[in-house]
Amino acid sequence: MFEKKYHLYLEQDEYDCVIRCLIDLKNRLLQQGRYTDDVDDVLIKVLNAKKKKIKIVDGSQWFKNNNQWADRSYEPSAGDIIFFDWENDGTTDHVGIVWKCENGTVYTIEGNSNNQCLQRTYTVGSSVIYRYGLPAY
């Protein structure tokens, strides 16, 4: 049986930020009594992912070119990449990682969100969601 391989397209500082954000999120959820294993699942995937370098502006194009792309109406899974278009002009403005999706709500982990790493929520199909990148985990 083959072991699944994960790939992460981030620079080292971005990778470090994602790890810190996931750990911070886990600690906050533990303090609030809302922790689930989903955070550890994403953290383990990120930690086990082979690091490859790619510019984020090329990230969305990479998913398009490899047919690993879903529109905003898609109900994402933990570990999917969420791309945002704040101005609704067809240009990717921001990116995050999907933590989970429940009852029509997408939970994300985003770095550089108000100069912080935050957990945020969006309604499935929200107009600020550009599309999803679907890593082949």
Side-chain angles (χ1 to χ4, degrees):
M1 188 174 207
F2 292 100
E3 181 179 326
K4 286 186 179 182
K5 293 186 179 179
Y6 304 100
H7 301 276
L8 193 61
Y9 297 91
L10 298 173
E11 299 290 334
Q12 185 63 46
D13 60 331
E14 295 168 321
Y15 176 83
D16 293 343
C17 179
V18 169
I19 297 299
R20 282 192 311 273
C21 290
L22 287 169
I23 291 169
D24 290 347
L25 174 62
K26 177 181 177 175
N27 290 336
R28 281 196 312 267
L29 292 172
L30 282 167
Q31 289 173 344
Q32 297 168 2
R34 298 181 0 186
Y35 170 78
T36 69
D37 288 337
D38 291 335
V39 177
D40 281 341
D41 290 344
V42 172
L43 184 58
I44 289 168
K45 286 179 182 178
V46 171
L47 288 170
N48 288 330
K50 180 178 178 184
K51 288 184 259 179
K52 294 184 177 182
K53 291 185 179 182
I54 189 170
K55 298 272 187 201
I56 197 60
V57 292
D58 297 330
S60 61
Q61 190 62 48
W62 187 91
F63 285 109
K64 287 179 198 177
N65 293 346
N66 288 281
N67 295 319
Q68 292 175 246
W69 201 232
D71 67 23
R72 70 174 55 117
S73 65
Y74 166 75
E75 200 161 304
S77 300
D80 286 345
I81 308 301
I82 184 170
F83 293 94
F84 297 96
D85 179 4
W86 303 128
E87 289 86 30
N88 203 13
D89 61 1
T91 302
T92 301
D93 301 312
H94 186 62
V95 64
I97 299 174
V98 174
W99 170 37
K100 66 179 179 177
C101 183
E102 290 180 346
N103 303 318
T105 300
V106 181
Y107 296 81
T108 65
I109 300 166
E110 300 171 41
N112 196 23
S113 186
N114 296 323
N115 293 320
Q116 301 175 58
C117 181
L118 298 174
Q119 175 195 343
R120 302 182 66 104
T121 60
Y122 304 89
T123 303
V124 170
S126 168
S127 63
V128 300
I129 299 171
Y130 180 62
R131 294 185 73 108
Y132 295 95
L134 311 176
Y137 290 126

